[in-house]
Amino acid sequence: MRSIWKGAISFGLVTIPVKLYSATEQKDVSFHQVHREDGGRIRYKRVCTVDGEEVPYADIAKGYELAGGEIVVLTDEDFEGLPLSTSRRIDVLQFTPAEQIDPIYFAKSYYLEPDAQGAKPYVLLRDALESSGQVAVVKVALRQRESLATLRVRDGVFVLETMYWPDEIRTPDFGFLDEDIEVRAQELKMAESLISTMASDFDASEYHDTYREALQQVIEAKVAGKEVVPAREEEEAGPAVDLMAALRASVEAAKREREGAPAKPKRAASGKAKADDKAQEEEKAPAKRKARKSA
């Protein structure tokens, strides 16, 4: 891994120099925009809408659009004067139980590695924080943006989790919240039974990105010049007419799946199968009549 930021954890009178690394990476199949006819890459030019000229990066500034459409141009000098006092510090503000912080606030995760001279205070704070069962609420500035964040311990390493500010969390303003929707006790009990049947310990290694794997197979088939057979789409279940029946069926299916015997839908007898069965019965009928006569 390559560090993307250097700074220090400021904890009282203790300063711990650290390096910051991205803790996650999104594995996706990346594409380029190309010309359908010859596969040529599509390029874009930075063109000014006023004079129509192409603009080099050195002449590009940030512009803030006002309500009336006017633009306020901000230069690098304007940003340098902003009060980012925590630009190279991770300031510890308080310690709090982790369960008091709603996960909706978390934005991105980073690992913190101590510099050589900061290893001992790093381990000291790490062990003390881990034994306390709490997380540190901190303030940090990354990429010209100040954020709240938390410090917690994972696998012996500090994890910095940047957070959204309270005014960045949207309020769920949905109509059904104001409706008086009645849930019967039997339905609630059946839903709880379904949850209980499907409950198990979480193991992230059990899950994988089936879409990305399938897309990679399509690409590999294209490279090999093979014929690609599209996967059959699963039929979407329609709306449940009887909620209790749907819940009951879900519970039974979940139980069978957990026992290792997935449910197999019964197939209706085809017209040919019914005709064969009828022919067999007619063949057996004369034999039975003969047996009765001889008796």
Side-chain angles (χ1 to χ4, degrees):
M1 289 189 293
R2 184 178 179 180
S3 64
I4 60 176
W5 182 90
K6 288 184 179 181
I9 301 174
S10 179
F11 172 48
L13 299 178
V14 178
T15 299
I16 309 171
V18 293
K19 298 176 183 177
L20 183 134
Y21 303 81
S22 291
T24 59
E25 59 178 338
Q26 188 166 3
K27 293 188 176 181
D28 200 357
V29 181
S30 59
F31 297 99
H32 296 296
Q33 287 187 322
V34 297
H35 188 194
R36 187 187 299 273
E37 300 298 327
D38 54 22
R41 291 280 299 275
I42 303 300
R43 302 291 185 186
Y44 291 93
K45 294 182 178 181
R46 300 173 299 278
V47 178
C48 177
T49 58
V50 176
D51 58 21
E53 297 293 327
E54 186 175 356
V55 182
Y57 273 116
D59 294 339
I60 295 179
K62 290 182 172 64
Y64 181 82
E65 186 174 359
L66 302 177
E70 301 90 346
I71 298 293
V72 177
V73 179
L74 299 175
T75 64
D76 292 340
E77 290 75 16
D78 295 322
F79 287 99
E80 288 175 359
L82 295 178
L84 282 178
S85 59
T86 58
S87 58
R88 286 293 168 183
R89 291 207 314 270
I90 300 173
D91 287 329
V92 177
L93 305 178
Q94 70 178 77
F95 296 93
T96 190
E99 59 269 17
Q100 291 186 4
I101 302 177
D102 192 321
I104 198 172
Y105 283 99
F106 295 131
K108 187 169 175 55
S109 302
Y110 299 91
Y111 288 133
L112 293 179
E113 177 193 26
D115 279 353
Q117 64 269 30
K120 185 172 181 178
Y122 181 101
V123 172
L124 175 62
L125 178 59
R126 179 199 68 187
D127 293 349
L129 185 62
E130 191 169 27
S131 63
S132 71
Q134 302 192 55
V135 297
V137 178
V138 304
K139 185 182 286 187
V140 62
L142 298 173
R143 299 185 179 92
Q144 294 296 316
R145 190 181 192 278
E146 191 171 66
S147 299
L148 275 179
T150 60
L151 272 183
R152 64 182 180 89
V153 182
R154 182 180 188 272
D155 296 335
V157 178
F158 273 130
V159 175
L160 178 77
E161 308 239 32
T162 57
M163 301 168 62
Y164 295 104
W165 294 100
D167 61 354
E168 294 178 317
I169 305 298
R170 294 176 176 177
T171 301
D173 186 16
F174 302 127
F176 81 94
L177 294 173
D178 298 325
E179 299 177 9
D180 186 13
I181 301 175
E182 182 180 357
V183 176
R184 294 184 297 169
Q186 301 95 319
E187 295 170 341
L188 181 60
K189 186 176 181 180
M190 189 63 68
E192 291 172 347
S193 177
L194 176 58
I195 293 173
S196 177
T197 304
M198 298 178 65
S200 63
D201 294 331
F202 177 71
D203 182 3
S205 64
E206 295 180 356
Y207 304 95
H208 53 97
D209 189 345
T210 54
Y211 176 82
R212 175 162 54 91
E213 292 173 356
L215 180 56
Q216 195 65 50
Q217 290 176 3
V218 170
I219 295 173
E220 291 172 0
K222 286 276 187 180
V223 173
K226 297 179 180 178
E227 187 70 24
V228 178
V229 179
R232 297 182 62 182
E233 296 183 0
E234 296 182 0
E235 295 183 2
E236 295 184 3
V241 178
D242 187 339
L243 182 58
M244 281 294 292
L247 288 171
R248 190 176 295 108
S250 298
V251 172
E252 293 174 356
K255 287 180 178 178
R256 283 193 293 267
E257 186 174 351
R258 171 162 290 188
E259 293 170 357
K264 295 182 179 179
K266 293 182 179 179
R267 295 182 179 178
S270 64
K272 185 177 183 305
K274 290 180 178 178
D276 292 343
D277 293 342
K278 186 176 181 180
Q280 290 178 3
E281 290 178 0
E282 290 177 352
E283 290 178 358
K284 292 178 181 178
K288 290 181 179 179
R289 286 195 294 267
K290 290 179 181 179
R292 282 197 294 268
K293 286 181 181 179
S294 59

mmCIF file of all heavy atoms in Angstrom, residues 167-193:
data_model
loop_
_atom_site.group_PDB
_atom_site.id
_atom_site.type_symbol
_atom_site.label_atom_id
_atom_site.label_comp_id
_atom_site.label_asym_id
_atom_site.label_seq_id
_atom_site.Cartn_x
_atom_site.Cartn_y
_atom_site.Cartn_z
ATOM 1 N N ASP A 167 -25.744 17.947 9.124
ATOM 2 C CA ASP A 167 -26.613 18.553 8.103
ATOM 3 C C ASP A 167 -26.450 17.901 6.735
ATOM 4 O O ASP A 167 -27.126 18.301 5.774
ATOM 5 C CB ASP A 167 -26.369 20.059 8.005
ATOM 6 C CG ASP A 167 -24.931 20.397 7.615
ATOM 7 O OD1 ASP A 167 -24.102 19.475 7.529
ATOM 8 O OD2 ASP A 167 -24.647 21.589 7.401
ATOM 9 N N GLU A 168 -25.572 16.897 6.619
ATOM 10 C CA GLU A 168 -25.416 16.166 5.368
ATOM 11 C C GLU A 168 -26.232 14.872 5.346
ATOM 12 O O GLU A 168 -26.254 14.172 4.335
ATOM 13 C CB GLU A 168 -23.930 15.841 5.136
ATOM 14 C CG GLU A 168 -23.070 17.069 4.906
ATOM 15 C CD GLU A 168 -21.598 16.741 4.738
ATOM 16 O OE1 GLU A 168 -21.079 15.898 5.505
ATOM 17 O OE2 GLU A 168 -20.958 17.320 3.839
ATOM 18 N N ILE A 169 -26.876 14.560 6.460
ATOM 19 C CA ILE A 169 -27.728 13.368 6.536
ATOM 20 C C ILE A 169 -29.153 13.766 6.156
ATOM 21 O O ILE A 169 -29.760 14.622 6.794
ATOM 22 C CB ILE A 169 -27.705 12.739 7.946
ATOM 23 C CG1 ILE A 169 -26.270 12.447 8.379
ATOM 24 C CG2 ILE A 169 -28.555 11.478 7.967
ATOM 25 C CD1 ILE A 169 -25.544 11.464 7.505
ATOM 26 N N ARG A 170 -29.677 13.150 5.118
ATOM 27 C CA ARG A 170 -31.009 13.489 4.647
ATOM 28 C C ARG A 170 -32.091 12.913 5.576
ATOM 29 O O ARG A 170 -31.924 11.847 6.152
ATOM 30 C CB ARG A 170 -31.228 12.953 3.235
ATOM 31 C CG ARG A 170 -30.350 13.611 2.176
ATOM 32 C CD ARG A 170 -30.560 12.960 0.831
ATOM 33 N NE ARG A 170 -29.810 13.633 -0.228
ATOM 34 C CZ ARG A 170 -29.773 13.221 -1.482
ATOM 35 N NH1 ARG A 170 -30.443 12.130 -1.840
ATOM 36 N NH2 ARG A 170 -29.072 13.880 -2.388
ATOM 37 N N THR A 171 -33.202 13.633 5.660
ATOM 38 C CA THR A 171 -34.345 13.169 6.442
ATOM 39 C C THR A 171 -35.246 12.316 5.553
ATOM 40 O O THR A 171 -35.620 12.753 4.456
ATOM 41 C CB THR A 171 -35.150 14.366 6.993
ATOM 42 O OG1 THR A 171 -34.304 15.166 7.811
ATOM 43 C CG2 THR A 171 -36.340 13.871 7.818
ATOM 44 N N PRO A 172 -35.600 11.100 5.985
ATOM 45 C CA PRO A 172 -36.483 10.252 5.162
ATOM 46 C C PRO A 172 -37.920 10.755 5.213
ATOM 47 O O PRO A 172 -38.684 10.425 6.117
ATOM 48 C CB PRO A 172 -36.345 8.867 5.815
ATOM 49 C CG PRO A 172 -35.996 9.156 7.242
ATOM 50 C CD PRO A 172 -35.176 10.417 7.232
ATOM 51 N N ASP A 173 -38.292 11.552 4.232
ATOM 52 C CA ASP A 173 -39.623 12.148 4.190
ATOM 53 C C ASP A 173 -40.498 11.333 3.239
ATOM 54 O O ASP A 173 -40.704 11.700 2.084
ATOM 55 C CB ASP A 173 -39.519 13.608 3.732
ATOM 56 C CG ASP A 173 -40.853 14.330 3.808
ATOM 57 O OD1 ASP A 173 -41.767 13.809 4.476
ATOM 58 O OD2 ASP A 173 -40.994 15.402 3.186
ATOM 59 N N PHE A 174 -41.022 10.215 3.739
ATOM 60 C CA PHE A 174 -41.806 9.308 2.912
ATOM 61 C C PHE A 174 -43.263 9.296 3.400
ATOM 62 O O PHE A 174 -43.529 9.319 4.608
ATOM 63 C CB PHE A 174 -41.235 7.891 2.957
ATOM 64 C CG PHE A 174 -39.795 7.821 2.507
ATOM 65 C CD1 PHE A 174 -38.831 7.227 3.304
ATOM 66 C CD2 PHE A 174 -39.414 8.349 1.289
ATOM 67 C CE1 PHE A 174 -37.508 7.170 2.890
ATOM 68 C CE2 PHE A 174 -38.093 8.293 0.860
ATOM 69 C CZ PHE A 174 -37.142 7.709 1.664
ATOM 70 N N GLY A 175 -44.177 9.231 2.438
ATOM 71 C CA GLY A 175 -45.591 9.325 2.749
ATOM 72 C C GLY A 175 -46.109 8.221 3.657
ATOM 73 O O GLY A 175 -46.972 8.455 4.509
ATOM 74 N N PHE A 176 -45.579 6.988 3.499
ATOM 75 C CA PHE A 176 -46.141 5.875 4.266
ATOM 76 C C PHE A 176 -45.910 6.040 5.773
ATOM 77 O O PHE A 176 -46.605 5.424 6.589
ATOM 78 C CB PHE A 176 -45.547 4.547 3.786
ATOM 79 C CG PHE A 176 -44.190 4.227 4.342
ATOM 80 C CD1 PHE A 176 -44.047 3.443 5.470
ATOM 81 C CD2 PHE A 176 -43.041 4.723 3.726
ATOM 82 C CE1 PHE A 176 -42.801 3.144 5.980
ATOM 83 C CE2 PHE A 176 -41.801 4.435 4.216
ATOM 84 C CZ PHE A 176 -41.662 3.640 5.355
ATOM 85 N N LEU A 177 -44.929 6.881 6.171
ATOM 86 C CA LEU A 177 -44.658 7.076 7.593
ATOM 87 C C LEU A 177 -45.819 7.764 8.303
ATOM 88 O O LEU A 177 -45.971 7.630 9.524
ATOM 89 C CB LEU A 177 -43.371 7.900 7.768
ATOM 90 C CG LEU A 177 -42.084 7.222 7.299
ATOM 91 C CD1 LEU A 177 -40.912 8.201 7.376
ATOM 92 C CD2 LEU A 177 -41.780 5.975 8.129
ATOM 93 N N ASP A 178 -46.625 8.495 7.551
ATOM 94 C CA ASP A 178 -47.771 9.190 8.136
ATOM 95 C C ASP A 178 -49.051 8.356 8.056
ATOM 96 O O ASP A 178 -50.093 8.780 8.555
ATOM 97 C CB ASP A 178 -48.001 10.532 7.423
ATOM 98 C CG ASP A 178 -46.818 11.468 7.584
ATOM 99 O OD1 ASP A 178 -46.189 11.437 8.665
ATOM 100 O OD2 ASP A 178 -46.517 12.217 6.632
ATOM 101 N N GLU A 179 -48.985 7.201 7.410
ATOM 102 C CA GLU A 179 -50.167 6.351 7.282
ATOM 103 C C GLU A 179 -50.312 5.430 8.498
ATOM 104 O O GLU A 179 -49.316 5.043 9.120
ATOM 105 C CB GLU A 179 -50.066 5.502 6.009
ATOM 106 C CG GLU A 179 -50.003 6.319 4.723
ATOM 107 C CD GLU A 179 -49.824 5.435 3.503
ATOM 108 O OE1 GLU A 179 -49.918 4.202 3.663
ATOM 109 O OE2 GLU A 179 -49.558 5.968 2.411
ATOM 110 N N ASP A 180 -51.547 5.117 8.814
ATOM 111 C CA ASP A 180 -51.836 4.204 9.928
ATOM 112 C C ASP A 180 -51.963 2.790 9.358
ATOM 113 O O ASP A 180 -53.047 2.344 8.982
ATOM 114 C CB ASP A 180 -53.127 4.630 10.638
ATOM 115 C CG ASP A 180 -53.389 3.799 11.897
ATOM 116 O OD1 ASP A 180 -52.451 3.092 12.335
ATOM 117 O OD2 ASP A 180 -54.515 3.856 12.421
ATOM 118 N N ILE A 181 -50.834 2.096 9.273
ATOM 119 C CA ILE A 181 -50.809 0.752 8.695
ATOM 120 C C ILE A 181 -50.884 -0.274 9.824
ATOM 121 O O ILE A 181 -50.032 -0.291 10.714
ATOM 122 C CB ILE A 181 -49.528 0.544 7.863
ATOM 123 C CG1 ILE A 181 -49.467 1.588 6.744
ATOM 124 C CG2 ILE A 181 -49.483 -0.871 7.299
ATOM 125 C CD1 ILE A 181 -48.194 1.539 5.935
ATOM 126 N N GLU A 182 -51.903 -1.116 9.775
ATOM 127 C CA GLU A 182 -52.117 -2.104 10.841
ATOM 128 C C GLU A 182 -51.417 -3.412 10.498
ATOM 129 O O GLU A 182 -51.533 -3.931 9.386
ATOM 130 C CB GLU A 182 -53.616 -2.353 11.026
ATOM 131 C CG GLU A 182 -53.918 -3.334 12.155
ATOM 132 C CD GLU A 182 -55.424 -3.577 12.320
ATOM 133 O OE1 GLU A 182 -56.195 -2.931 11.590
ATOM 134 O OE2 GLU A 182 -55.786 -4.416 13.161
ATOM 135 N N VAL A 183 -50.643 -3.933 11.427
ATOM 136 C CA VAL A 183 -49.977 -5.227 11.283
ATOM 137 C C VAL A 183 -50.566 -6.179 12.319
ATOM 138 O O VAL A 183 -50.555 -5.896 13.516
ATOM 139 C CB VAL A 183 -48.451 -5.094 11.494
ATOM 140 C CG1 VAL A 183 -47.796 -6.460 11.430
ATOM 141 C CG2 VAL A 183 -47.856 -4.164 10.459
ATOM 142 N N ARG A 184 -51.079 -7.306 11.847
ATOM 143 C CA ARG A 184 -51.690 -8.266 12.759
ATOM 144 C C ARG A 184 -50.634 -8.995 13.563
ATOM 145 O O ARG A 184 -49.495 -9.166 13.119
ATOM 146 C CB ARG A 184 -52.537 -9.274 11.988
ATOM 147 C CG ARG A 184 -53.769 -8.661 11.310
ATOM 148 C CD ARG A 184 -54.603 -9.747 10.661
ATOM 149 N NE ARG A 184 -53.856 -10.431 9.593
ATOM 150 C CZ ARG A 184 -54.277 -11.556 9.019
ATOM 151 N NH1 ARG A 184 -55.417 -12.124 9.415
ATOM 152 N NH2 ARG A 184 -53.565 -12.100 8.051
ATOM 153 N N ALA A 185 -51.019 -9.416 14.763
ATOM 154 C CA ALA A 185 -50.079 -10.103 15.660
ATOM 155 C C ALA A 185 -49.556 -11.391 15.028
ATOM 156 O O ALA A 185 -48.381 -11.742 15.176
ATOM 157 C CB ALA A 185 -50.762 -10.402 16.996
ATOM 158 N N GLN A 186 -50.436 -12.114 14.292
ATOM 159 C CA GLN A 186 -50.001 -13.358 13.651
ATOM 160 C C GLN A 186 -48.938 -13.092 12.584
ATOM 161 O O GLN A 186 -47.979 -13.846 12.433
ATOM 162 C CB GLN A 186 -51.205 -14.082 13.012
ATOM 163 C CG GLN A 186 -52.295 -14.441 14.020
ATOM 164 C CD GLN A 186 -53.365 -13.380 14.068
ATOM 165 O OE1 GLN A 186 -53.069 -12.179 14.032
ATOM 166 N NE2 GLN A 186 -54.622 -13.816 14.156
ATOM 167 N N GLU A 187 -49.124 -12.002 11.835
ATOM 168 C CA GLU A 187 -48.150 -11.649 10.802
ATOM 169 C C GLU A 187 -46.814 -11.278 11.418
ATOM 170 O O GLU A 187 -45.748 -11.660 10.919
ATOM 171 C CB GLU A 187 -48.691 -10.488 9.966
ATOM 172 C CG GLU A 187 -49.941 -10.837 9.165
ATOM 173 C CD GLU A 187 -50.589 -9.618 8.538
ATOM 174 O OE1 GLU A 187 -50.315 -8.492 9.003
ATOM 175 O OE2 GLU A 187 -51.379 -9.790 7.591
ATOM 176 N N LEU A 188 -46.856 -10.520 12.513
ATOM 177 C CA LEU A 188 -45.620 -10.131 13.188
ATOM 178 C C LEU A 188 -44.899 -11.359 13.743
ATOM 179 O O LEU A 188 -43.671 -11.480 13.628
ATOM 180 C CB LEU A 188 -45.939 -9.141 14.318
ATOM 181 C CG LEU A 188 -44.738 -8.617 15.110
ATOM 182 C CD1 LEU A 188 -43.765 -7.888 14.188
ATOM 183 C CD2 LEU A 188 -45.205 -7.700 16.239
ATOM 184 N N LYS A 189 -45.654 -12.287 14.316
ATOM 185 C CA LYS A 189 -45.053 -13.497 14.861
ATOM 186 C C LYS A 189 -44.414 -14.336 13.757
ATOM 187 O O LYS A 189 -43.325 -14.903 13.926
ATOM 188 C CB LYS A 189 -46.111 -14.313 15.600
ATOM 189 C CG LYS A 189 -45.549 -15.532 16.324
ATOM 190 C CD LYS A 189 -46.640 -16.243 17.119
ATOM 191 C CE LYS A 189 -46.055 -17.448 17.847
ATOM 192 N NZ LYS A 189 -47.109 -18.150 18.631
ATOM 193 N N MET A 190 -45.076 -14.431 12.613
ATOM 194 C CA MET A 190 -44.544 -15.200 11.496
ATOM 195 C C MET A 190 -43.279 -14.535 10.939
ATOM 196 O O MET A 190 -42.312 -15.218 10.584
ATOM 197 C CB MET A 190 -45.596 -15.337 10.403
ATOM 198 C CG MET A 190 -45.213 -16.310 9.296
ATOM 199 S SD MET A 190 -45.010 -18.012 9.871
ATOM 200 C CE MET A 190 -46.708 -18.415 10.306
ATOM 201 N N ALA A 191 -43.270 -13.205 10.848
ATOM 202 C CA ALA A 191 -42.081 -12.483 10.380
ATOM 203 C C ALA A 191 -40.911 -12.693 11.339
ATOM 204 O O ALA A 191 -39.764 -12.881 10.915
ATOM 205 C CB ALA A 191 -42.391 -10.996 10.230
ATOM 206 N N GLU A 192 -41.183 -12.660 12.639
ATOM 207 C CA GLU A 192 -40.130 -12.901 13.629
ATOM 208 C C GLU A 192 -39.601 -14.326 13.524
ATOM 209 O O GLU A 192 -38.398 -14.578 13.701
ATOM 210 C CB GLU A 192 -40.670 -12.640 15.038
ATOM 211 C CG GLU A 192 -40.969 -11.166 15.305
ATOM 212 C CD GLU A 192 -41.681 -10.957 16.623
ATOM 213 O OE1 GLU A 192 -42.168 -11.959 17.205
ATOM 214 O OE2 GLU A 192 -41.771 -9.793 17.086
ATOM 215 N N SER A 193 -40.494 -15.268 13.208
ATOM 216 C CA SER A 193 -40.073 -16.654 13.022
ATOM 217 C C SER A 193 -39.156 -16.794 11.821
ATOM 218 O O SER A 193 -38.172 -17.532 11.837
ATOM 219 C CB SER A 193 -41.308 -17.547 12.855
ATOM 220 O OG SER A 193 -40.925 -18.890 12.607
#
